[in-house]
Amino acid sequence: PLPASIAGYEVNGGVFAQDNNTLYGLVSDKGEPVQLYKIDLAAGTRTRLAGRDDVEVGALMTAGRERVPFAVAYTAAAPSVQYLDPASEWAQLHAALMKRFAGQMVYFLQFTRDDGKVLFTTRSDRVPANYYVIDRKNGNKIAQVGSRRPWFEGKALASMRPIEFKTRDGQVLYGFFTAPIGAKGPVPTVVMPHGGPFGPADTWGFEDDVQFLANRGYGVLQVNYRGSGGRGDRFINASYKQWGGMIQNDITDALKYAIDAKLADPDRVCMYGASFGGYSALMQPILNPGMYKCAIGYVGVYDLQVMKKKGDIPRARVGKRYLERVLGNDEAQLAAWSPAQNVNKVKFPLFLVQGAIDQRVPMAQFNALKDAFKAAGTPVETMVVQGEGHGFYKPENRAELYRRMEAF
């Protein structure tokens, strides 16, 4: 049962107003990007307040102890804010803070009972996150109260540039290109697709791997291929059964765009990714001979047939049904799209990294690829770390991974 008052309660990305009847909700009717609606529950009506046709509302911004909606943020492309009523007190405060912290995104976090003080955070591609309190009753005095990774303060960090391009079949995609500080003209580039592939997405902001690679002189290309989040369910569903097809074409087209735009040096491109990104790190060079000079696969999927049998996903019936839906049952196609079954096409330096207790992408994946290379007589560099799973968490292991990546 609902409490006597539901005002201020969050419900699936929405919030109830003080009248206990109005719901500000994020809605998608037919798989399009979610939009913000004001919903009158008693009347059964709704009014669209904000939304775009190309990307979802990434965040509903609310303010005060009463959680008043005042804006939405879009994050799937270049970040932006849309105010519901630019003249409202909370919209004006937020806009002033966005101007005060130019080049960053501002998010309200908590409020005192009288709304006199607001805890907020700022973040950007070069700022992991800083935390402040603004005293609205004392001349809007601002005091910093915390910082995430303060050791980066004052350090020169690379800027993440939003990009937009069309694929070979006309789909508009968004992504990011981070060039080393001071770079002019095309730069040696690492293509770094995110994991998933269904749901996660790259967003504009501080990212460890991006800054590490840029600091070492490499450009970093990220693309929100079809299947990525932030564009609606139709955008995700379009890529089902396309691990080695449409999705890889999108990544390839992103690199071709970066080359044509004089961002990436076509003679010096490498792949690096984790999980599905690790899968792509091998499939991209296999599908595009000569385009990539090397690849790093980190806790990657390397055999789609093994994926349907090993790991935590196929252990449950719901997981098996999910794999049937997103991978399909065409065994010949699954084999053709499995790097472990196409090692004869690997003609580039390769570095494979794996956590020994990974449950999502277990050692069976790593071993399938390693054994295939061994049978083919192809040497590869490997790094297997005991006690680590789907990604490394111990600082000493992360540091060693970065050292090995840099040397490779």
Side-chain angles (χ1 to χ4, degrees):
L2 290 171
S5 172
I6 52 179
Y9 275 69
E10 289 191 16
V11 181
N12 292 334
V15 62
F16 280 101
Q18 289 300 302
D19 62 8
N20 287 328
N21 174 67
T22 303
L23 171 64
Y24 294 89
L26 300 178
V27 179
S28 173
D29 290 311
K30 297 180 180 179
E32 76 279 7
V34 296
Q35 321 276 306
L36 175 64
Y37 286 87
K38 182 179 180 180
I39 303 170
D40 185 320
L41 298 177
T45 60
R46 66 183 184 182
T47 304
R48 183 176 178 272
L49 298 180
R52 288 169 48 173
D53 294 333
D54 58 338
V55 298
E56 293 187 334
V57 169
L60 171 59
M61 293 184 167
T62 61
R65 296 289 289 184
E66 294 184 355
R67 305 296 305 278
V68 177
F70 70 91
V72 296
Y74 302 100
T75 58
S80 64
V81 176
Q82 178 183 351
Y83 296 110
L84 306 184
D85 177 8
S88 71
E89 61 170 323
W90 292 115
Q92 290 186 346
L93 175 62
H94 187 270
L97 291 173
M98 288 283 285
K99 185 176 181 180
R100 166 69 174 77
F101 295 93
Q104 302 185 53
M105 290 291 285
V106 176
Y107 294 96
F108 293 154
L109 299 177
Q110 295 291 342
F111 307 83
T112 52
R113 288 185 175 87
D114 63 355
D115 290 339
K117 293 181 180 180
V118 181
L119 174 67
F120 67 94
T121 181
T122 67
R123 61 192 65 180
S124 75
D125 53 344
R126 290 173 286 181
V127 178
N130 287 323
Y131 299 88
Y132 302 87
V133 169
I134 182 170
D135 189 341
R136 302 175 66 213
K137 296 185 176 181
N138 187 21
N140 283 337
K141 182 179 179 180
I142 297 175
Q144 185 169 355
V145 296
S147 176
R148 181 175 293 177
R149 303 180 181 182
W151 50 87
F152 282 114
E153 195 168 329
K155 298 293 194 306
L157 296 172
S159 178
M160 181 182 283
R161 166 183 168 180
I163 61 172
E164 176 182 335
F165 64 96
K166 280 189 176 182
T167 64
R168 64 191 70 182
D169 59 347
Q171 173 68 54
V172 174
L173 295 182
Y174 302 108
F176 305 92
F177 190 88
T178 304
I181 297 173
K184 295 181 180 179
V187 297
T189 296
V190 177
V191 180
M192 195 177 81
H194 61 76
F198 310 111
D202 289 314
T203 57
W204 182 85
F206 186 90
E207 213 285 335
D208 293 339
D209 290 345
V210 170
Q211 291 297 335
F212 170 77
L213 291 167
N215 181 265
R216 266 55 180 183
Y218 302 102
V220 181
L221 174 62
Q222 299 167 279
V223 57
N224 284 322
Y225 48 76
R226 273 168 283 193
S228 304
R231 302 286 299 273
D233 285 346
R234 283 201 303 257
F235 189 81
I236 292 176
N237 297 345
S239 64
Y240 283 179
K241 303 179 183 179
Q242 291 293 321
W243 272 55
M246 176 192 293
I247 298 176
Q248 299 307 319
N249 290 341
D250 287 351
I251 297 171
T252 302
D253 291 348
L255 177 56
K256 289 180 178 179
Y257 162 83
I259 292 172
D260 291 342
K262 308 300 182 184
L263 300 174
D265 182 346
D267 296 323
R268 293 185 293 173
V269 181
C270 186
M271 283 289 297
Y272 162 61
S275 196
F276 175 81
Y279 167 85
S280 297
L282 270 80
M283 278 309 301
Q284 275 291 303
I286 289 173
L287 294 170
N288 301 283
M291 181 175 283
Y292 300 90
K293 306 306 178 186
C294 63
I296 301 175
Y298 178 30
V299 296
V301 174
Y302 305 123
D303 194 311
L304 299 184
Q305 291 172 321
V306 172
M307 185 182 183
K308 296 181 73 173
K309 302 174 184 176
K310 303 290 185 180
D312 59 358
I313 297 177
R315 289 176 191 164
R317 281 181 294 179
V318 64
K320 291 180 179 179
R321 289 196 297 269
Y322 170 77
L323 292 175
E324 293 283 338
R325 186 166 67 252
V326 302
L327 292 179
N329 296 307
D330 187 335
E331 296 301 324
Q333 186 67 82
L334 294 177
W337 285 349
S338 293
Q341 300 189 48
N342 291 274
V343 294
N344 61 309
K345 299 177 182 178
V346 176
K347 309 294 183 183
F348 47 88
L350 180 62
F351 179 29
L352 300 177
V353 184
Q354 180 71 24
I357 58 172
D358 192 341
Q359 298 300 306
R360 176 55 46 88
V361 180
M363 284 294 295
Q365 288 282 353
F366 175 84
N367 290 334
L369 186 59
K370 185 188 70 171
D371 293 345
F373 279 126
K374 183 178 180 180
T378 304
V380 295
E381 184 175 345
T382 62
M383 177 182 179
V384 178
V385 179
Q386 301 299 317
E388 292 283 15
H390 199 53
F392 295 173
Y393 288 86
K394 293 181 181 178
E396 60 269 27
N397 293 335
R398 291 171 63 85
E400 179 61 19
L401 172 58
Y402 282 134
R403 281 191 288 266
R404 292 281 298 272
M405 284 175 59
E406 182 176 10
F408 176 80

